[in-house]
Amino acid sequence: MRELWSPNHDERPPGVEVSLVVVHAISLPPGQFGGDAIERLFTNRLDPAAHPYFESIAHLRVSSHFLVRRDGALVRFVPVERRAWHAGASSWRGRSRCNDFSVGIELEGADDAPFEDAQYAALGVLLFDLRRQLPLRAIAGHSEIAPGRKTDPGPRFDWQRLLLDLASNRL
Ligand SMILES: [Zn+2]
């Protein structure tokens, strides 16, 4: 796993248990895979002049704990003990501010594109590992915790496949 530390994190509230995994999808520019724009965004180094879309997001201070590239390669930006800034205004089962108690995992992807086998495999291994470190109880898409505002990871993400892999420990 590659480590590329993001400055965009802070302390979790005292005593909070990290019980939720939030699955996201991102591609920069949207719908284009490859390149280093996601890494640049999460490390505050995105050049607003490099693409028209970047101008609207380069000022954002955001991060996730992990990114799964299209080939399954993992990048870690924030230690899970720290609060990454991935969920924004959000609520899970009546509890708001999901960043407080979640791990954020970005998959390089887009709403209208299927994800790669290598991404499911890498995500499964990562979740298996996280479950040994953290009292995880649920996994949700960004669209579930921020409905109406977010659509990722989108309709092409195969939840059943992921959950079957986890249930069978075929990892
Ligand atoms: Zn998201």
Side-chain angles (χ1 to χ4, degrees):
M1 173 154 16
R2 196 154 65 88
E3 287 173 345
L4 186 63
W5 299 117
S6 169
N8 304 329
H9 59 82
D10 55 10
E11 266 187 67
R12 295 185 184 276
V16 74
E17 285 200 330
V18 181
S19 56
L20 176 68
V21 170
V22 179
V23 175
H24 301 258
I26 187 172
S27 48
L28 291 176
Q32 290 183 35
F33 303 145
D36 63 356
I38 303 169
E39 281 96 334
R40 286 185 169 277
L41 177 65
F42 289 172
T43 53
N44 304 340
R45 294 181 299 119
L46 188 64
D47 177 4
H51 185 277
Y53 181 74
F54 295 171
E55 206 180 311
S56 63
I57 60 165
H59 66 284
L60 297 176
R61 293 295 171 258
V62 291
S63 61
S64 66
H65 292 93
F66 301 96
L67 167 68
V68 183
R69 304 297 312 240
R70 297 296 289 179
D71 64 358
L74 276 171
V75 187
R76 184 193 345 232
F77 295 96
V78 175
V80 293
E81 299 78 28
R82 303 281 296 173
R83 178 170 61 185
W85 303 344
H86 57 95
S90 53
S91 173
W92 173 248
R93 293 181 180 158
R95 200 171 163 196
S96 61
R97 294 191 305 276
C98 294
N99 283 343
D100 288 357
F101 57 95
S102 69
V103 172
I105 303 175
E106 294 275 2
L107 304 178
E108 186 178 17
D111 276 8
D112 54 356
F115 292 87
E116 300 286 350
D117 290 344
Q119 292 184 292
Y120 289 102
L123 179 59
V125 171
L126 177 59
L127 289 172
F128 187 76
D129 197 40
L130 290 173
R131 286 205 295 185
R132 286 190 288 200
Q133 303 170 42
L134 300 167
L136 298 176
R137 285 197 296 275
I139 177 165
H142 199 187
S143 57
E144 290 173 79
I145 64 166
R149 194 173 69 81
K150 293 290 178 179
T151 60
D152 61 307
R156 307 297 294 270
F157 184 73
D158 191 343
W159 285 101
Q160 194 175 12
R161 174 177 180 171
L162 177 67
L163 297 176
L164 282 173
D165 278 353
L166 287 174
S168 64
N169 276 342
R170 266 186 291 129
L171 303 169

